[in-house]
Amino acid sequence: MSNRMVCREASHAGSWYTASGSQLNAQLEGWLSQAQSTAGPARAIIAPHAGYTYCGACAAHAYKQVDPSITRRVFILGPSHHVPLSRCALSPAEVYRTPLYDLRIDQKVYADLWKTGMFERMTLQTDEDEHSIEMHLPYTAKAMESYKEEFSIVPVLVGALSESKEQEYGKLLSKYLADPSNLFIISSDFCHWGQRFRYTYYDENQGEIYRSIEHLDKMGMGIIEQLDPVSFSNYLKKYHNTICGRHPIGVLLNVSYLFVYLFSQFASWKEQLFIEALPYV
């Protein structure tokens, strides 16, 4: 039997972002230097997964809120763009490569998640085809570089979940949010507008089309900031906004809802959830 470690390659390096470690490091440092720390440290962030040319600067505002000194495990929840999933899936890899350094998957947490029977196993090809998680790996590596030997990641590919399944996964993951050494990263762009996305909602009262899109997205962001999964679900039913990470967001809202309910720390938790303005792609 081979003891060879299974590695997920940085398959989008060289296209969605530079494959040069030195260039990538300089870009990330530049974007982070322009971002401001707010009321962190964050327990959860939502950031985009488009090519860094489009969203690298935006993502820096979220990652600036991460405190590497207290973070020892990073959950990364991203939507599945290419493979239909009705549940969540875990990677067959043990290591995720980035142009900066390799990231180690937390096998103990993975083993605990497998035991629940709630997860599928994605193929390595599916994992490498998907970009929603990968686009957060270089930023995670950069944010955590001063503690790179002391943390692990827990990548989770999230399918097209029903509301009840979002609640189930929220309940399952709530115990991890209770641990302040765990950080949750939610991968999501917001409105995808136009005929190619079959979405052309336009509120003429907002003025030009881009103003309507901005208003729609900010409405959704405001609901997310209230940590109310029911209101977010109702918002999606009403406007059908093409938020590609809506299911990972739904899981996070159910995680935080249970956390708030169980631990009665709404004020302190709310201050630690950062929602940044995302690019319209």
Side-chain angles (χ1 to χ4, degrees):
M1 181 180 292
S2 173
N3 291 322
R4 183 182 178 187
M5 186 173 293
V6 180
C7 298
R8 182 201 183 278
E9 298 298 328
S11 53
H12 292 75
S15 53
W16 291 55
Y17 58 96
T18 179
S20 166
S22 59
Q23 291 180 7
L24 181 59
N25 185 65
Q27 286 180 339
L28 297 176
E29 284 186 350
W31 288 322
L32 287 166
S33 69
Q34 298 298 313
Q36 300 295 318
S37 296
T38 53
R43 297 291 304 284
I45 60 175
I46 299 176
H49 53 237
Y52 281 0
T53 300
Y54 305 102
C55 73
C58 173
H61 292 280
Y63 280 91
K64 190 74 170 184
Q65 318 311 323
V66 175
D67 184 348
S69 70
I70 63 173
T71 302
R72 292 297 173 265
R73 188 180 293 113
V74 181
F75 288 76
I76 308 175
L77 278 61
S80 176
H81 286 86
H82 307 295
V83 175
L85 292 173
S86 61
R87 300 194 294 168
C88 291
L90 304 179
S91 174
E94 299 167 81
V95 168
Y96 274 16
R97 298 199 186 282
T98 83
L100 301 180
Y101 59 88
D102 293 347
L103 304 180
R104 174 177 52 88
I105 292 179
D106 193 311
Q107 295 302 317
K108 182 181 183 304
V109 172
Y110 253 28
D112 290 342
L113 296 180
W114 283 124
K115 290 176 183 177
T116 66
M118 294 174 60
F119 292 84
E120 301 178 25
R121 183 185 295 273
M122 59 178 130
T123 66
L124 188 60
Q125 184 65 57
T126 294
D127 201 351
E128 292 182 344
D129 287 345
E130 181 56 61
H131 65 275
S132 70
I133 292 175
E134 180 178 342
M135 298 309 295
H136 291 276
L137 302 178
Y139 253 120
T140 297
K142 183 61 182 175
M144 294 297 299
E145 65 179 344
S146 55
Y147 293 85
K148 64 182 181 181
E149 303 297 333
E150 302 177 37
F151 83 99
S152 58
I153 63 170
V154 183
V156 178
L157 191 63
V158 180
L161 306 180
S162 64
E163 288 182 55
S164 62
K165 280 207 168 81
E166 289 180 359
Q167 292 170 7
E168 289 176 18
Y169 284 106
K171 182 178 181 180
L172 173 66
L173 295 173
S174 61
K175 69 176 183 180
Y176 296 104
L177 183 63
D179 183 345
S181 69
N182 290 333
L183 169 71
F184 277 74
I185 295 173
I186 305 300
S187 175
S188 184
D189 298 324
F190 270 59
C191 183
H192 293 57
W193 196 94
Q195 292 293 343
R196 62 177 291 204
F197 301 111
R198 298 188 294 277
Y199 187 73
T200 54
Y201 171 83
Y202 176 34
D203 180 357
E204 295 182 359
N205 293 326
Q206 300 303 321
E208 297 183 50
I209 291 174
Y210 79 92
R211 291 290 188 188
S212 173
I213 296 170
E214 180 180 32
H215 177 75
L216 180 67
D217 276 353
K218 287 186 174 180
M219 191 190 315
M221 291 176 186
I223 293 170
I224 292 169
E225 289 178 331
Q226 296 304 312
L227 308 181
D228 185 345
V230 174
S231 294
F232 184 63
S233 179
N234 289 338
Y235 160 84
L236 292 174
K237 290 174 183 176
K238 181 175 181 179
Y239 295 103
H240 305 284
N241 192 356
T242 50
I243 301 172
C244 56
R246 58 191 175 275
H247 296 297
I249 292 172
V251 171
L252 174 66
L253 293 181
N254 279 282
V255 170
S256 58
Y257 180 82
L258 284 167
F259 179 81
V260 168
Y261 176 78
L262 291 172
F263 296 95
S264 301
Q265 294 179 341
F266 176 78
S268 61
W269 160 248
K270 184 178 178 183
E271 290 172 358
Q272 296 175 53
L273 179 63
F274 293 90
I275 310 299
E276 299 295 339
L278 304 181
Y280 305 125
V281 296

